[in-house]
Amino acid sequence: MAAQILDGKALSQQVREEVKVEVDKLRGLGVRPGLHVVLVGDDPASAIYVRNKGRACEKVGINGVTHRLPKETTEEELLDLLGKLNADDEVDGVLVQLPLPGHISESRVNDAMDPARDVDGFLPVNLGRLLAGREGLVPCTPAGIIRLIDQSGTAIEGKRAVIIGRSIIVGKPVSLLLMQRHATITVCHSRTRELARLASEADILVAAIGRAKMVKGDWIKEGAVVIDVGMNRDENGKLCGDVDFDEAAGRAAWITPVPGGVGPMTIAYLLRNTVIACCARRGLPSPF
Ligand code: GUN
């Protein structure tokens, strides 16, 4: 059986259109959502991500502002900028691109950020809300993953979901979202024993490890939904995921490609979170 492709590029376009409808409504009320992205240093991958975020804002009518700071920027200087953004009513979302240079403490930066503008959904307050099942800003990649699974027509309830990776950005929050949707979850990581056997029990497999093609075809249950969050280079320098796509596609029912799977969904959900934050900050009902 050849898997069907879960096309994140097409689905993210749909999400962007949904976002644009809401941005247009807000602009009709005289409100323009604003997203400020802060990039410290010159990591080439981060520079590409940040540029893509700026372009995506423009296309849906969000006021996207990028703050590019040199790699020598001190922690105090960064905290000072965050303080200014917190005091600016036109700023609805703030995102500090990770990774930060080693001399800047991520937790201090987090503590200086306003949870109401945390469009990444990484701050403890928003992660706590997610854990408690309350409304808040949900991390973008995990939210996009749930939308992709829903798009496949697979019912999540009662399914066995195996998540490989326990990061704050993906593994932990996507586990919570899947549990909220009544899946039975298993979270695996670098110290997990019998990883292949656990993976092969998954109806829904989420790979978020950051190792090229680590998940092999025989780790996949026949008919599974496979979500590949990886963004790696293979031995020939070609972009690839954490899953060996060609092998896995022979067994899965649905699989996300890399590129064109999870990646585009992350940006679309960032735009969506910016609109959610904008409405919540201004006392308007949530559009989504
Ligand atoms: N670096 C890699 N992914 C992300 C992300 O989703 N948000 C931020 N802020 N930085 C990242």
Side-chain angles (χ1 to χ4, degrees), residues 9-224:
K9 207 169 160 193
L11 184 56
S12 68
Q13 197 50 45
Q14 198 178 313
V15 174
R16 287 186 193 213
E17 278 158 25
E18 292 161 12
V19 170
K20 185 166 186 307
V21 167
E22 298 304 326
V23 172
D24 288 345
K25 282 190 207 162
L26 285 165
R27 294 187 73 176
L29 299 172
V31 173
R32 182 156 189 218
L35 173 62
H36 287 239
V37 175
V38 182
L39 173 64
V40 186
D42 40 25
D43 178 71
S46 291
I48 293 170
Y49 291 143
V50 165
R51 198 180 61 210
N52 289 342
K53 287 168 186 172
R55 286 183 182 164
C57 284
E58 213 173 286
K59 285 194 187 139
V60 298
I62 290 174
N63 182 29
V65 180
T66 304
H67 302 262
R68 290 186 176 80
L69 307 179
K71 61 179 185 299
E72 307 79 32
T73 301
T74 64
E75 192 174 278
E76 285 62 35
E77 284 167 333
L78 178 55
L79 298 185
D80 187 52
L81 170 63
L82 294 173
K84 286 188 179 125
L85 296 178
N86 288 346
D88 183 346
D89 202 44
E90 300 292 302
V91 178
D92 294 297
V94 177
L95 179 153
V96 177
Q97 186 68 27
L98 302 174
L100 284 165
H103 64 277
I104 298 179
S105 148
E106 218 173 278
S107 32
R108 279 224 206 104
V109 167
N110 274 351
D111 290 347
M113 291 175 69
D114 174 9
R117 294 172 163 103
D118 170 30
V119 284
D120 261 330
F122 295 164
L123 293 187
V125 167
N126 284 315
L127 291 169
R129 285 189 182 130
L130 179 59
L131 186 65
R134 293 188 27 193
E135 263 198 19
L137 290 162
V138 174
C140 306
T141 304
I145 289 171
I146 300 295
R147 178 76 176 251
L148 279 162
I149 299 170
D150 284 342
Q151 181 70 12
S152 76
T154 306
I156 297 174
E157 183 173 338
K159 295 287 161 56
R160 179 117 197 219
V162 176
I163 300 96
I164 313 181
R166 54 177 158 180
S167 70
I168 291 284
I169 298 184
V170 184
K172 280 179 191 164
V174 81
S175 305
L176 294 171
L177 288 172
L178 285 162
M179 186 162 53
Q180 213 171 64
R181 293 284 299 272
H182 313 291
T184 301
I185 59 165
T186 302
V187 183
C188 304
H189 46 77
S190 53
R191 314 272 174 97
T192 296
R193 294 178 196 168
E194 298 189 77
L195 183 55
R197 184 182 63 74
L198 289 169
S200 70
E201 290 174 3
D203 302 307
I204 298 167
L205 182 66
V206 179
I209 327 141
R211 286 230 236 135
K213 301 184 188 175
M214 188 175 121
V215 176
K216 303 297 176 196
D218 60 1
W219 296 28
I220 309 291
K221 181 176 173 176
E222 284 285 343

Side-chain angles (χ1 to χ4, degrees), residues 246-267:
D246 294 337
E247 286 184 20
R251 294 168 70 107
W254 293 93
I255 188 166
T256 59
V258 176
V262 173
M265 296 300 289
T266 300
I267 293 197

